Amino acid sequence: MIVIPLTPSTPGRAWPVVLPPALLTLLLGLWGIGRGGSIWRDEAVSYQVAHRTLPELWRLLGEIDAVHGLHYLILHAVFSCWDGGLVALRLPSVLAMTLAAAALAETGRRLAGPRVGLLAGLVFALVPAVQQYAQEGRSYASACAAVVVGTLLLVRAWQRPRAGAWAAYGAVMLLAALLHEFAVLAMAGHAITLGWGRADRRVWRGWAVATAAAALALLPLVLISRQQADQVAWIRTPGWTDIWAPALTGAVGALCAGLREPAAAGAPVRLRAVALPLLVVPPAVLILVSYLDPLYVDRYVVFSYAGLALLLGLALDRAWARSALPVPQRARPVVAAFALAALLLGPLPLEHGLRTPQSRPNDVAAAARAVRELGRPGDAVLFVPGARREAALYDPAAFAGLRDLALAETGAASGTINGVEAEPGAISAALTTPRRVVLVTDPRPRATVPARDEAKLAALADRFQPCRTTTVHGIKVTLYAVPESCG
């Protein structure tokens, strides 16, 4: 499947290989970037935190969520230059994945030739997880881009082991880990790559110094984030539903790694030695650790899909090279064009689904609209749990005129994300005066209810009756009123 007349040993002309995957990733990232005006909770946190002042943001990072601090600061800078709403929130992720696709294609070109690099870059652009996190206002796309660029720098430094090359590798991998700490797992994969590729002592020494310097610079963030471990207390021990996807992709990658690969001129190592550890090691280590301390979430290691794309690019290249189809040489570009069209157009239904509000767990913007429709000035509003206040923090205009009875201190003032709520007794007392209350909560009740939320629900049941309920994607909004005010 080749439309670019290059041979595996071609040393130059990177742009014909790098540009198509980058453009495809950019176009797919811009397609439906607004997602129908929807935004889910994690993105809403990014949005409202990035709009705080720098002193407020710095205080927050000292108390909670330091692991996403660099991403929040980047978004703060973006919004300071251009407050473009959801587009501004997600555009950095789109650009990051575009860079990742370009760097991946170049990595494939250097390791196994231009055709493999081109195909790997196109496959990467079409991976559903890549498209999903390219349109998400979180740090996962940026961390992915830094890991892929770091992997390319590893190959270059291995090819020409110089102090400057290893310094660049260490700096980029540090950036990746600052964007998300679990990017350090990619460096563990790189260690496997060096062993598999039988790197000499000079290469091992350069890598060890760069990695040690990056780890030392990262240590303060690690210590702070460990003190904020309650932020990930919601993660559960992995079950089969969590591990089947990485197990399947790892198996596919292992099969592809068994294929004979072309070697590009000057490549220090085979593609499989770079790609398979990147695909397998980060999720495998995180899953194993999670049986002691649950930490595994697939989006934390989305960069591992870069290894899968490299291996699938190799598999497609070998499939075309071994094809027994009686296609004349002159007709091969036409056949390749049709095959490429099928590769690009086949996933369209899935890609369209990724750009709908239903593709995320919930829709905070829809909840805010429901509150605007049910509430009126003078009504009270409650959030169960208090974290459902994300809707008010994202769209405060929808809550204008409503009294948040449980809120004692705002998030910006308290250095928290959603603010500090009053004691249960104070909340119950505050609920004796309003005649109408808008409740924002989850569609299904939780198994365990904290004392504050229990006080809210008990007071509602004692004095009010439900009047109208609107259930949006992942969130339920109900209007409660005293019996004579339910109309």
Side-chain angles (χ1 to χ4, degrees):
M1 189 181 299
I2 180 170
V3 292
I4 297 175
L6 297 175
T7 64
S9 60
T10 303
R13 296 188 64 188
W15 70 264
V17 175
V18 168
L19 192 59
L23 287 177
L24 178 61
T25 306
L26 179 63
L27 292 174
L28 290 173
L30 295 176
W31 170 34
I33 191 173
R35 218 161 55 235
S38 66
I39 180 172
W40 77 290
R41 289 172 189 148
D42 282 12
E43 284 188 298
V45 169
S46 294
Y47 185 88
Q48 60 103 348
V49 167
H51 277 85
R52 296 184 185 182
T53 66
L54 281 177
E56 290 170 343
L57 183 51
W58 188 253
R59 182 181 178 187
L60 170 75
L61 300 182
E63 299 289 336
I64 197 170
D65 228 13
V67 68
H68 294 296
L70 179 57
H71 182 67
Y72 292 153
L73 290 169
I74 292 172
L75 288 179
H76 178 85
V78 171
F79 285 127
S80 297
C81 298
W82 172 51
D83 199 347
L86 295 180
V87 175
L89 175 70
R90 293 166 184 159
L91 188 59
S93 294
V94 174
L95 297 177
M97 280 303 191
T98 300
L99 173 62
L104 186 74
E106 173 62 7
T107 302
R109 184 186 77 89
R110 285 176 173 269
L111 293 175
R115 189 166 60 193
V116 173
L118 174 64
L119 289 169
L122 294 176
V123 167
F124 180 79
L126 296 174
V127 170
V130 169
Q131 294 190 40
Q132 177 176 346
Y133 295 109
Q135 290 193 336
E136 200 147 291
R138 298 294 279 175
S139 62
Y140 311 116
S142 299
C144 177
V147 167
V148 177
V149 172
T151 302
L152 172 60
L153 291 174
L154 173 70
V155 174
R156 294 183 62 182
W158 192 344
Q159 190 171 10
R160 294 183 178 180
R162 299 174 181 174
W166 287 117
Y169 167 77
V172 171
M173 293 309 298
L174 172 61
L175 174 63
L178 290 173
L179 287 163
H180 199 282
E181 282 181 42
F182 292 151
V184 298
L185 297 174
M187 288 192 280
H190 291 164
I192 303 297
T193 295
L194 294 183
W196 192 346
R198 299 180 180 178
D200 59 32
R201 290 183 180 180
R202 185 182 178 191
V203 172
W204 273 109
R205 184 170 56 250
W207 176 84
V209 170
T211 301
L216 186 63
L218 184 66
L219 185 59
L221 177 61
V222 173
L223 296 176
I224 293 172
S225 63
R226 291 307 298 169
Q227 295 173 357
Q228 301 173 356
D230 287 346
Q231 273 295 94
V232 293
W234 57 272
I235 302 177
R236 57 185 175 84
T237 302
W240 174 243
T241 56
D242 302 300
I243 65 175
W244 73 266
L248 178 61
T249 55
V252 170
L255 289 173
C256 295
L259 297 172
R260 180 179 177 274
E261 60 182 271
V269 63
R270 294 289 187 177
L271 179 144
R272 73 190 76 179
V274 173
L276 194 59
L278 183 60
L279 169 62
V280 173
V281 172
V285 170
L286 197 56
I287 288 171
L288 291 174
V289 169
S290 292
Y291 286 103
L292 299 174
D293 183 10
L295 292 171
Y296 175 74
V297 180
D298 58 354
R299 59 180 177 267
Y300 293 170
V301 287
V302 69
F303 54 82
S304 64
Y305 284 104
L308 178 66
L310 284 170
L311 291 167
L312 289 178
L314 172 64
L316 290 173
D317 172 75
R318 294 297 86 195
W320 177 260
R322 295 178 180 179
S323 174
L325 293 176
V327 181
Q329 189 67 28
R330 292 182 179 181
R332 282 202 164 201
V334 177
V335 175
F338 277 102
L340 184 60
L343 179 69
L344 298 179
L345 299 178
L348 273 180
L350 176 59
E351 292 169 349
H352 181 267
L354 290 172
R355 289 155 177 81
T356 63
Q358 291 71 31
S359 64
R360 270 51 174 193
N362 44 67
D363 187 354
V364 166
R369 291 192 297 269
V371 169
R372 192 193 300 268
E373 293 173 1
L374 292 180
R376 63 192 186 197
D379 290 349
V381 62
L382 287 177
F383 302 91
V384 176
R388 295 298 81 81
R389 194 171 277 105
E390 296 129 339
L393 295 171
Y394 168 69
D395 187 3
F399 292 77
L402 303 184
R403 294 175 293 156
D404 190 341
L405 296 181
L407 186 64
E409 193 175 10
T410 66
S414 62
T416 62
I417 291 176
N418 293 299
V420 176
E421 295 196 331
E423 294 301 318
I427 296 173
S428 298
L431 279 166
T432 60
T433 56
R435 301 181 64 81
R436 288 164 41 108
V437 180
V438 178
L439 174 67
V440 182
T441 187
D442 295 325
R444 289 174 287 187
R446 297 194 170 196
T448 58
V449 181
R452 284 187 178 86
D453 295 336
E454 200 170 272
K456 300 172 192 174
L457 297 174
L460 285 174
D462 181 58
R463 185 166 181 260
F464 302 89
Q465 67 181 38
C467 301
R468 294 190 298 279
T469 296
T470 300
T471 301
V472 298
H473 180 50
I475 305 173
K476 183 171 73 173
V477 181
T478 303
L479 173 65
Y480 286 82
V482 295
E484 63 272 17
S485 299
C486 219

